Amino acid sequence: MKNTIKALKFSIIFLIIASSFIACDKEFSVIESDVLGKGNANFGTNQIDIPIAAYNKKLNALQVNNLSHNFLGFFDDPEFGQTTASMVTQITPTAFSPNFGENPVIDSVILSIPYFSKPIGFDDDGNTTYSILDSLYGDASKEIKVTIYRNNYFLRSLNPNETNSPQNYFSNADNNTTDNLALIESGSINFDDHKGDIVKEITFTPSAEAIKTTVGEGEDAITSRSAPAFRVELDIDFWKSAIIDHEGGTELSNASNFNNYFRGLYFKAEAVGGEGNMIALNTLSQEANITIYYTKGADDSRSQSTYAFNFRGIRLNTFINDYHVALADGDADLGDETLYLKGAEGSMTIVDLFGNEDADNNNIPDAMESFIDDFRISDPDDPSGYLKDNTTGNFVLKRLINEAQLVVHESDLAISTDDYHKYDRIYAYDVNNNIPIVDYLDLFDPTGNANDPFNSKVVHLSQRNPDQKKYKIRLTEHLNNILLRDSTNTKIGLVLSTNVNYTASAQILNSNDDVIAIPAAAILTPRGTILYGSNDNVSNEKRMKLQVFFTDPQDD
């Protein structure tokens, strides 16, 4: 989600904490190893650039079910092209085997799914006003068309090919500019082939206005206000036939029977006149529901009641991409000149920190070995090995890393307007294990902010520098683990994210390379950006590089 809050104004306390991480040219950082040298008194700070290979990885068949939220609408990214997002979801009754009472009559049926909004002030009457910019992609003044169908495709929860494994659903936007498709192991699903009755057809523009709900009439009327939402009044006759008329039937008796009988809703989004916008829907909110409001009882003693459904069953997005940039896998040996980070079903970057040492034509085959040899102390009793500390079991270092940064520059091909990329964040993860880098942990980056993703984890995952148009990804502890504990040098994945707090992983269907999953945060943005890569054709000042600042003991 985008975040419009201004850049974090660091407190004095935070600056002291942060400086301990980034003051690589002023302070010595102890990392569980003795420093050798006369009296341990004299130290010099140096810098080296470690060769890397950074290349593109095209992303196809990404897991799109049960994400933290869902998209609906049309987004035209000026750098990449168009994405249309539709949604398929089960609806789950909040109670089974309902008793609707005597002579139930529906008054209204309301679908409501909140946007991601923030209070920003008060109007003249003292009512809260909101911003939905965290939820909105594109021009809020443009309309989008949404047709809600009854979905007739059964969304199964278990994978019949794997014992006790959930059934995942995957995106299928590659070379597809027309159909709302999803993939499972057995093939493709076209939800247009399984659409039932139209539940509602609307064109709308997302609004930041609070939702007003009035209960009662005249002097007894009570009006309440709630946060902005995608709110639609649905057809009464449809829900009477589909739900009320099945009181006492097996269809409403339990979740399994209901999901087989009423297989969900298909929200099909379309641009209007080639334009539109995309909105993030908080489908897991307590306020996200479909509510049937009805009255019941004898004519002279009727009472009001409700029957509701939530969206906490199986949910998935479908994507239709019409890009004008040809995304493709890059050169793992030499690295790419231009790197594309694109959300939804798009593209990511793989960073091999010491270059692709397995490549026959690589000109840096010994980068990893040279790095280790430069920092560890050789074992005098074993010239082919390195000295270990008997207490900790860690290798003893002759140089200590103060700071290690992956420096990433925005390409001149990216949109030059600062406002467009102002809130972009780059999220780094361990490709081998599909988890955040060790530097992400609170122990090494104490700046986590659960309520403000834009200003969260700014030590490890820096915010974009608007003047230099670059990012710095802190990898200090990642390299320390390699040197001290012989940890595996895993490849680093880079994705664009608008919520670096969201660390869940999304699988890739039938992946046949190192990347078998990506951070789900990469799917939960339709945005993209373009970066300079590590290829020799990129000028040295713009080339992606790993800079290591270290302390070296100096002789008297």
Side-chain angles (χ1 to χ4, degrees):
M1 295 176 294
K2 289 183 295 183
N3 210 301
T4 58
I5 294 180
K6 293 182 179 180
L8 182 63
K9 296 179 179 179
F10 294 109
S11 67
I12 298 299
I13 294 175
F14 174 77
L15 285 173
I16 293 172
I17 296 174
S19 66
S20 69
F21 288 94
I22 62 177
C24 53
D25 59 344
K26 294 182 179 180
E27 300 205 22
F28 178 75
S29 180
V30 178
I31 50 174
E32 299 182 38
S33 183
D34 293 332
V35 181
L36 303 184
K38 287 187 177 181
N40 292 342
N42 299 319
F43 307 97
T45 301
N46 297 290
Q47 173 190 339
I48 57 172
D49 291 346
I50 294 177
I52 65 170
Y55 54 94
N56 290 295
K57 165 66 178 174
K58 185 181 180 184
L59 297 174
N60 298 318
L62 309 179
Q63 182 186 340
V64 289
N65 62 297
N66 297 345
L67 299 170
S68 65
H69 60 272
N70 294 92
F71 285 118
L72 190 65
F74 170 88
F75 179 66
D76 192 354
D77 187 309
E79 293 170 349
F80 291 87
Q82 301 171 350
T83 296
T84 303
S86 297
M87 179 175 71
V88 181
T89 178
Q90 291 177 333
I91 62 172
T92 303
T94 55
F96 293 103
S97 299
N99 180 353
F100 296 119
E102 180 184 356
N103 190 26
V105 177
I106 297 178
D107 298 319
S108 64
V109 182
I110 305 298
L111 181 152
S112 183
I113 307 176
Y115 304 138
F116 290 92
S117 60
K118 288 186 176 179
I120 57 172
F122 301 93
D123 63 18
D124 293 340
D125 296 324
N127 298 310
T128 303
T129 57
Y130 296 89
S131 167
I132 62 169
L133 292 180
D134 284 356
S135 206
L136 178 68
Y137 296 84
D139 188 345
S141 68
K142 304 299 182 182
E143 289 185 326
I144 58 173
K145 178 182 177 182
V146 176
T147 307
I148 306 175
Y149 297 94
R150 183 170 179 170
N151 168 47
N152 288 330
Y153 181 84
F154 179 66
L155 296 169
R156 65 190 182 211
S157 58
L158 293 177
N159 186 342
N161 301 314
E162 299 180 19
T163 304
N164 296 325
S165 294
Q167 176 64 69
N168 288 324
Y169 297 82
F170 301 86
S171 63
N172 189 7
D174 192 30
N175 299 319
N176 163 41
T177 59
T178 57
D179 298 321
N180 285 298
L181 306 175
L183 293 173
I184 55 176
E185 289 80 358
S186 58
S188 179
I189 308 162
N190 187 337
F191 286 102
D192 282 316
D193 293 339
H194 300 278
K195 61 189 181 186
D197 296 335
I198 293 179
V199 178
K200 190 72 175 183
E201 185 175 21
I202 61 170
T203 56
F204 83 104
T205 56
S207 172
E209 293 294 321
I211 301 297
K212 299 177 183 178
T213 304
T214 300
V215 178
E217 297 179 355
E219 295 181 355
D220 296 329
I222 300 175
T223 299
S224 61
R225 296 167 61 91
S226 56
F230 175 67
R231 184 178 174 88
V232 181
E233 187 168 356
L234 303 178
D235 179 70
I236 288 174
D237 291 338
F238 174 87
W239 294 93
K240 177 182 182 302
S241 174
I243 303 299
I244 300 295
D245 290 350
H246 287 269
E247 178 185 359
T250 58
E251 298 90 344
L252 306 183
S253 62
N254 58 56
S256 179
N257 286 351
F258 181 80
N259 288 334
N260 187 47
Y261 158 65
F262 197 104
R263 299 183 174 185
L265 297 174
Y266 166 32
F267 294 70
K268 182 175 182 177
E270 298 173 87
V272 176
E275 297 181 317
N277 58 68
M278 189 175 293
I279 198 78
L281 299 176
N282 190 0
T283 38
L284 290 182
S285 167
Q286 294 284 349
E287 307 302 319
N289 55 59
I290 296 173
T291 302
I292 300 174
Y293 296 88
Y294 68 97
T295 57
K296 62 183 178 179
D299 292 341
D300 59 349
S301 61
R302 295 186 66 77
S303 61
Q304 294 181 326
S305 191
T306 61
Y307 189 63
F309 308 84
N310 61 44
F311 301 96
R312 294 176 196 167
I314 299 171
R315 293 168 291 104
L316 62 97
N317 263 125
T318 64
F319 298 111
I320 297 174
N321 292 335
D322 188 6
Y323 294 157
H324 51 68
V325 173
L327 302 178
D329 289 342
D331 190 332
D333 297 340
L334 301 178
D336 288 334
E337 183 175 347
T338 304
L339 301 172
Y340 299 97
L341 302 188
K342 180 68 174 73
E345 184 176 311
S347 179
M348 65 176 290
T349 290
I350 306 295
V351 180
D352 212 337
L353 289 182
F354 296 89
N356 186 351
E357 300 180 67
D358 296 328
D360 293 336
N361 61 346
N362 200 318
N363 59 359
I364 49 172
D366 298 321
M368 179 72 168
E369 290 85 349
S370 297
F371 171 71
I372 290 175
D373 195 54
D374 286 344
F375 279 78
R376 289 181 185 168
I377 295 178
S378 296
D379 187 342
D381 298 326
D382 180 9
S384 64
Y386 300 98
L387 189 66
K388 282 189 174 183
D389 185 293
N390 292 330
T391 302
T392 65
N394 293 337
F395 289 100
V396 182
L397 304 184
K398 55 187 174 183
R399 292 174 169 176
L400 298 182
I401 295 177
N402 291 4
E403 183 79 4
Q405 304 169 343
L406 185 67
V407 182
V408 183
H409 289 267
E410 200 172 85
S411 170
D412 290 338
L413 297 175
I415 298 297
S416 59
T417 304
D418 282 342
D419 285 346
Y420 187 73
H421 288 293
K422 186 175 182 179
Y423 299 105
D424 288 354
R425 300 289 301 277
I426 294 179
Y427 180 91
Y429 81 108
D430 175 341
V431 168
N432 293 28
N433 300 296
N434 301 315
I435 57 175
I437 306 298
V438 63
D439 293 79
Y440 184 95
L441 299 178
D442 291 342
L443 176 64
F444 305 114
D445 186 346
T447 65
N449 187 329
N451 298 317
D452 186 1
F454 176 67
N455 290 315
S456 186
K457 295 297 178 183
V458 296
V459 173
H460 169 44
L461 307 171
S462 76
Q463 296 167 324
R464 175 180 180 269
N465 183 314
D467 298 322
Q468 299 177 333
K469 297 181 180 179
K470 71 177 183 180
Y471 307 79
K472 291 182 179 180
I473 310 300
R474 186 178 188 272
L475 299 175
T476 307
E477 299 308 320
H478 179 74
L479 293 189
N480 281 340
N481 277 345
I482 292 173
L483 290 174
L484 288 168
R485 304 171 186 89
D486 218 19
S487 297
T488 302
N489 172 38
T490 64
K491 293 179 180 179
I492 307 296
L494 303 182
V495 299
L496 187 73
S497 173
T498 49
N499 186 353
V500 298
N501 290 335
Y502 187 49
T503 60
S505 182
Q507 300 298 307
I508 300 177
L509 179 63
N510 298 329
S511 175
N512 56 9
D513 59 22
D514 292 338
V515 185
I516 62 172
I518 67 167
I523 304 173
L524 293 173
T525 176
R527 292 173 56 83
T529 192
I530 305 174
L531 309 173
Y532 282 112
S534 63
N535 188 277
D536 288 344
N537 291 329
V538 181
S539 64
N540 184 61
E541 61 269 20
K542 296 290 186 180
R543 189 180 306 153
M544 186 184 294
K545 62 188 68 173
L546 179 62
Q547 294 182 335
V548 178
F549 301 87
F550 61 92
T551 298
D552 203 358
Q554 302 291 311
D555 293 333
D556 287 338

